[in-house]
Every structure is written in structure tokens, then in C-alpha cells.
Amino acid sequence: MVEAGMDTSVSVPPCEACEVVTVPTRQGLEAVDILRRGAGEGVGSVLHDDGCDTLGFLVPPGTAAAWDVPGSTCTETDGRGLRVVPEPQPPVEGSDWLLPPGEADLATDPAVLRAALGEAARLIRAADSCR
């Protein structure tokens, strides 16, 4: 938006080599809630597949090399450069944004995501054991 000669739009730099942590939707949605409620580091951009089976959290390059969270995978870009810019179109065919760039941090800190996914798994186990 330009007002009185000033550009007030938010500019998000492209993520040339983001990697994607993929988790089941239920755990991912719990983790998004945990991250959005938490103080400090927030949740980055998040994709969901068209079948709503999985969520994909964008994380910084290099995350896949040490990713070890059960029930999830981290996909390297292998230098292909998953380019994410603040546009309405998601970078992966067959997906859509849950939290698009510009409405969230670009990438989620892997340590913060690991903790949120662990807490989400514990919450889900507790809820399921009450049935």
C-alpha cells in the first residue's frame, strides 16, 4: 500500500532453499496452535496437501540432515531452491497455504518445531486415551 508517497507494504525475502517438514494433519494443526500461543519464536509458513492428510512446515536449509522426529519427514531441496515468495500460489503442486508467507514468519525454527511436535504428540495421545 502506498500512502502519502510512502510504501508501507511488507516485503518478505524469498527462501531460496527452504526445506519442508511433513507431518500428519492432526499433529501439525496441534503444533501450529502451540506455536501461535507460545511466547518467542512463531510459526513459519505452512502448506497443506489437497487431501488434507499432511501439513508441511517450511524450515531453514540444512534441517533435514539432523531431523529425527518420529512420525515426520524433512525433505531436502538438494540445491533445487524451493522458491517461496509472498504470492497467493503455493510452491508445490497439489498443495495450498495454511499460513502463507507474509502472514507468518518465512520458516519455522527447527528446534521450536521439534518441541511443538513433541507436545502435540503427547496431547493427542492423552486425548485418545480418554476415549
Side-chain angles (χ1 to χ4, degrees):
M1 179 174 146
V2 177
E3 224 173 89
M6 294 182 59
D7 183 3
T8 58
S9 63
V10 176
S11 176
V12 178
C15 182
E16 296 291 342
C18 283
E19 295 176 352
V20 180
V21 171
T22 305
V23 299
T25 298
R26 186 174 178 201
Q27 184 180 14
L29 290 173
E30 285 289 344
V32 167
D33 286 345
I34 291 164
L35 290 166
R36 292 187 102 182
R37 284 192 315 255
E41 296 292 325
V43 63
S45 300
V46 179
L47 293 160
H48 66 82
D49 65 346
D50 283 342
C52 293
D53 295 324
T54 61
L55 291 186
F57 291 82
L58 297 187
V59 292
T63 300
W67 192 255
D68 60 355
V69 177
S72 68
T73 59
C74 186
T75 306
E76 294 181 59
T77 58
D78 295 329
R80 291 186 302 264
L82 172 64
R83 186 168 174 78
V84 179
V85 293
E87 295 177 357
Q89 296 299 316
V92 179
E93 190 174 327
S95 67
D96 203 356
W97 291 112
L98 177 67
L99 295 174
E103 290 182 25
D105 296 337
L106 188 56
T108 301
D109 179 286
V112 173
L113 179 58
R114 181 178 280 111
L117 290 172
E119 184 176 342
R122 289 187 296 278
L123 287 170
I124 291 168
R125 275 193 306 274
D128 288 351
S129 70
C130 292
R131 289 183 188 190

